[in-house]
């Protein structure tokens, strides 16, 4: 069975984690989901994988080590230190990820339209007062505002135009984010979703969902 080796992030220090997200249960749930999906992803022969909010770079690097250099890898984080950490993590694991410091994918303009085969987002998902969203590097990692969705809600309308016809969007959703409403919004954009993995960790109920343009591809 195809595997995703957990990337080596030993170059990142406690000081780095004062300003970037230290991989945690949510990150590892996404890595496990991507590993389960690897046969499907490989069968697509993807040309481009993109991550929004890579933090340490652990997810996009994991995918890059598994899929190899035939595919390109791009990641965009609003936190410049996360972009630098992602480049360093990719290098440490002998692969290459291009990063943009930008709000969502705005830094890429329309260049990614219709080109993304795999899109990944582990968003800041914790329900907080709206003013905590984007209040600083660390708040960027977890503060999600209303329903924990303020950042995700801005990415959602972009997803259909980013994905290739076979493209797959992997999204981490916490139960308080209202998965049913998220699904209804995606369905209104003709994106179909399926929960592929879930785990309860302490008070959080985390799940990974995949969205595609073809419901038969789920
Ligand atoms: C929960 S952390 C996930 C980090 C990493 N992907 C992981 O799974 O370990 C959320 C990430 O999203 C980034 N982020 C938050 N708001 C963003 C925005 N508007 N545009 C781009 N990245 C953003 C944060 O800086 C942080 O790196």
């Amino acid at each position: 069975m195809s595997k995703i080796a957990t990337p080596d992030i030993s170059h990142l220090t406690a000081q780095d984690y004062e300003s970037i997200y230290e991989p945690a249960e949510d990150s590892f749930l996404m890595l496990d989901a991507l590993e389960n999906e690897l046969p499907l992803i490989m069968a697509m022969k993807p040309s481009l994988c993109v991550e929004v909010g890579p933090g340490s770079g652990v997810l996009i690097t994991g995918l890059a080590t598994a899929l190899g250099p035939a595919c390109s890898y791009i990641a965009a984080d609003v936190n410049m230190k996360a972009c630098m950490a992602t480049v360093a993590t990719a290098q440490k694991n002998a692969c290459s990820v291009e990063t943009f410091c930008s709000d969502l994918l705005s830094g890429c303009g329309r260049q990614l339209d219709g080109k993304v085969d795999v899109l990944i987002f582990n968003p800041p998902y914790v329900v907080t007062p709206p003013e905590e969203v984007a209040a600083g590097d660390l708040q960027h990692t977890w503060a999600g505002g209303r329903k924990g969705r303020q950042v995700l809600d801005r990415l959602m309308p972009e997803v259909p135009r980013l994905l290739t016809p076979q493209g797959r969007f992997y999204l981490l959703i916490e139960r308080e984010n209202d998965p049913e409403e998220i699904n209804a919004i995606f369905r209104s954009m003709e994106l179909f979703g399926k929960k592929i993995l879930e785990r309860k960790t302490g008070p959080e109920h985390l799940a990974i969902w995949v969205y595609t343009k073809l419901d038969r591809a789920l």
Side-chain angles (χ1 to χ4, degrees), residues 34-91:
L34 292 171
E35 181 172 274
N36 294 344
E37 290 273 298
L38 210 49
L40 258 173
I41 295 173
M42 285 169 142
M44 284 164 62
K45 299 196 187 326
S47 302
L48 179 62
C49 299
V50 174
E51 182 176 9
V52 179
S56 65
V58 71
L59 301 181
I60 192 78
T61 299
L63 201 56
T65 54
L67 295 178
C71 180
S72 300
Y73 305 91
I74 292 176
D77 204 296
V78 72
N79 176 357
M80 175 56 90
K81 290 179 194 140
C83 293
M84 289 160 62
T86 296
V87 169
T89 298
Q91 281 172 356

Side-chain angles (χ1 to χ4, degrees), residues 21-24 26-27 51-59 76-79 82 102-104 121-125 137 140-142 151 154:
Y21 190 71
E22 180 167 4
D26 50 348
S27 323
E51 182 176 9
V52 179
S56 65
V58 71
L59 301 181
D77 204 296
V78 72
N79 176 357
S102 77
D103 178 29
L104 303 177
F121 194 24
N122 175 12
Y125 58 77
D137 286 346
H140 273 304
T141 67
W142 54 271
V151 181
R154 292 192 298 112

Side-chain angles (χ1 to χ4, degrees), residues 71-204:
C71 180
S72 300
Y73 305 91
I74 292 176
D77 204 296
V78 72
N79 176 357
M80 175 56 90
K81 290 179 194 140
C83 293
M84 289 160 62
T86 296
V87 169
T89 298
Q91 281 172 356
K92 177 94 181 170
N93 291 272
C95 53
S96 170
V97 176
E98 187 181 356
T99 61
F100 290 86
C101 183
S102 77
D103 178 29
L104 303 177
L105 293 171
S106 59
C108 307
R110 306 298 291 249
Q111 292 177 59
L112 301 181
D113 284 11
K115 299 202 172 108
V116 182
D117 293 306
V118 175
L119 181 65
I120 308 168
F121 194 24
N122 175 12
Y125 58 77
V126 178
V127 177
T128 63
E131 59 275 14
E132 280 185 29
V133 177
D137 286 346
L138 267 190
Q139 285 88 343
H140 273 304
T141 67
W142 54 271
R146 186 184 158 274
K147 290 192 178 183
R149 289 248 304 272
Q150 274 180 230
V151 181
L152 172 61
D153 280 351
R154 292 192 298 112
L155 181 69
M156 287 169 73
E158 314 282 307
V159 177
R161 72 172 169 77
L162 289 165
L163 292 180
T164 57
Q166 59 170 359
R168 302 174 81 76
F169 175 38
Y170 293 96
L171 174 65
L172 182 135
I173 300 177
E174 206 278 325
R175 193 165 43 190
E176 292 201 9
N177 302 152
D178 195 347
E180 283 177 12
E181 189 176 74
I182 293 172
N183 282 327
I185 295 169
F186 275 133
R187 266 198 308 275
S188 73
M189 303 176 201
E190 301 196 1
L191 281 186
F192 303 93
K194 181 174 143 189
K195 182 161 54 179
I196 54 172
L197 198 60
E198 63 187 318
R199 200 169 287 162
K200 193 164 173 354
T201 67
E204 295 186 336

